[in-house]
Amino acid sequence: MCTRVLWNTNDVIVLTGRTMDWPESTQPVIVGFPRGRDRDGSNPAGLVSDPNPLRWTSQYASLVTTIYGLGTVDGLNEAGLAGHGLYLESTDFGPRDPAKPGVQAGLWLQYLLDQADTVAEALRLMDEIQVLKISAHGRDANLHLALEDAGGDSAIIEFGGAEPVIHHGAQYTLMTNDPTYDEQLKLLSLQDFSHPSRDMPLPGNVNPVDRFQRAAYYSALLPAPGSQREAIAGVMAIMRNVSVPFGAPYANFGVYNTEYRTVTDLTNRMYFFELSTSPNVVWIEMDRLKLDDGPVVVDPYDYSLVGDVTDRFTPRELPF
């Protein structure tokens, strides 16, 4: 399921928080990828068979969280562009246009992080490609993307057919899952959360609609931060508030538990990660990663990790 919150209105840093909600572990690995990496939009090998796969060489290094070893679902690059893949049931990538190079859905975000330095550039790249549907662990990768950059720009990209539906602008700071983003925005028109108070009724369920409105309410309550530390703590508090309690039996009505939360500091290129099954928060300073010899990884399910884990990354080759 998942929730994304962008805070681009404070005077300290640009931050994004996200939750990853899913019925099972997505087998996340935090990976630092160097620039200059050759990729194929049909990889990992055999995932899709396509006559015109997109091929590219990454222009930017990236720090990402992978999903099932098939691609990227969250992260940022060295230029200060970040992105997040969330689930949208109604996603339809449309019929295959063989004239456009294709990229499987798990590499969609990775391609944009590899090649774009701003939201505007990422949207321009969308004109040149087609996203290809894939399935993993018996579930379709029905993704919509949220993008933001260090300048505070933002975009939401959804597919309801062959052409993407894009909402582009710094005002698009919140996102959950179904319904489509047009419908989510209508929710905000029903109640003004820009001036929250203790008397304002607040939806408390775990479904995407209630989480969207709750994220709007608490985002409007964030105080001006006095430091990077305070700003990060504020966004993480919101992500915990919109999380689905671990182990709760919600899957029987289509809402899934939160596996992890992240906060991305686009200004300082730092990445914070918190498993719902561990009290430890870990973080990485991207500029300090040693990427000269290829990809490096850290396993967030290593419960011994806590605090700054930039120096705990180890080399590992990945299938994409």
Side-chain angles (χ1 to χ4, degrees):
M1 292 287 106
C2 314
T3 304
R4 173 261 201 174
V5 173
L6 167 64
W7 193 13
N8 56 5
T9 56
N10 70 78
D11 296 328
V12 178
I13 49 176
V14 177
L15 291 175
T16 303
R18 76 84 51 89
T19 65
M20 167 56 82
D21 306 344
W22 202 238
E24 62 184 9
S25 173
T26 61
Q27 301 170 19
V29 178
I30 305 175
V31 182
F33 281 116
R35 68 179 77 93
R37 187 170 178 82
D38 293 330
R39 298 193 198 271
D40 184 316
S42 62
N43 278 350
L47 187 61
V48 295
S49 177
D50 191 77
N52 186 19
L54 178 68
R55 293 184 173 90
W56 72 96
T57 301
S58 60
Q59 296 187 43
Y60 300 103
S62 59
L63 175 63
V64 304
T65 299
T66 63
I67 182 169
Y68 293 131
L70 301 177
T72 294
V73 76
D74 194 76
L76 74 159
N77 70 18
E78 61 183 327
L81 176 70
H84 323 275
L86 281 68
Y87 186 80
L88 179 65
E89 178 65 33
S90 62
T91 295
D92 177 6
F93 294 123
R96 182 71 175 103
D97 177 1
K100 286 188 172 183
V103 56
Q104 58 98 341
L107 289 182
W108 176 20
L109 174 57
Q110 186 64 57
Y111 169 66
L112 298 179
L113 293 178
D114 281 352
Q115 304 301 85
D117 57 348
T118 64
V119 169
E121 174 63 11
L123 295 181
R124 188 193 67 77
L125 293 173
M126 287 299 303
D127 294 334
E128 304 172 358
I129 66 168
Q130 182 170 12
V131 183
L132 307 179
K133 179 179 178 179
I134 61 165
S135 298
H137 287 228
R139 295 178 175 86
D140 292 337
N142 294 332
L143 296 179
H144 56 166
L145 288 191
L147 301 172
E148 63 275 342
D149 60 35
D153 198 8
S154 174
I156 310 297
I157 310 174
E158 297 180 340
F159 279 88
E163 296 299 322
V165 177
I166 297 173
H167 296 80
H168 181 198
Q171 70 271 32
Y172 299 118
T173 59
L174 307 174
M175 178 179 173
T176 53
N177 313 107
D178 296 274
T180 61
Y181 202 63
D182 282 328
E183 294 298 318
Q184 289 190 24
L185 293 176
K186 290 179 182 178
L187 298 174
L188 295 185
S189 68
L190 299 177
Q191 188 167 9
D192 181 12
F193 290 102
S194 61
H195 298 90
S197 72
R198 67 177 186 177
D199 299 319
M200 179 180 288
L202 187 63
N205 212 315
V206 293
N207 63 63
V209 170
D210 283 17
R211 286 186 281 111
F212 187 85
Q213 293 182 301
R214 202 155 64 249
Y217 177 90
Y218 285 106
S219 293
L221 279 175
L222 281 172
S227 65
Q228 176 201 32
R229 187 183 185 91
E230 289 180 10
I232 291 164
V235 172
M236 185 63 83
I238 293 178
M239 305 327 296
R240 290 166 178 157
N241 186 284
V242 297
S243 292
V244 181
F246 179 80
Y250 290 122
N252 58 356
F253 51 85
V255 176
Y256 303 132
N257 303 319
T258 297
E259 181 182 17
Y260 62 79
R261 292 168 283 268
T262 69
V263 173
T264 305
D265 176 350
L266 289 89
T267 304
N268 301 292
R269 292 173 299 283
M270 293 182 66
Y271 191 63
F272 296 77
F273 189 104
E274 179 184 55
L275 277 174
S276 61
T277 53
S278 174
N280 298 348
V281 177
V282 301
W283 60 85
I284 304 101
E285 295 183 28
M286 186 178 181
D287 294 349
R288 288 176 43 219
L289 283 178
K290 298 177 176 61
L291 301 175
D292 293 340
D293 296 325
V296 293
V297 307
V298 74
D299 179 4
Y301 273 93
D302 178 352
Y303 290 155
S304 71
L305 298 176
V306 62
D308 185 349
V309 298
T310 309
D311 296 329
R312 298 287 298 273
F313 279 72
T314 57
R316 183 193 300 180
E317 192 51 58
L318 282 94
F320 64 90

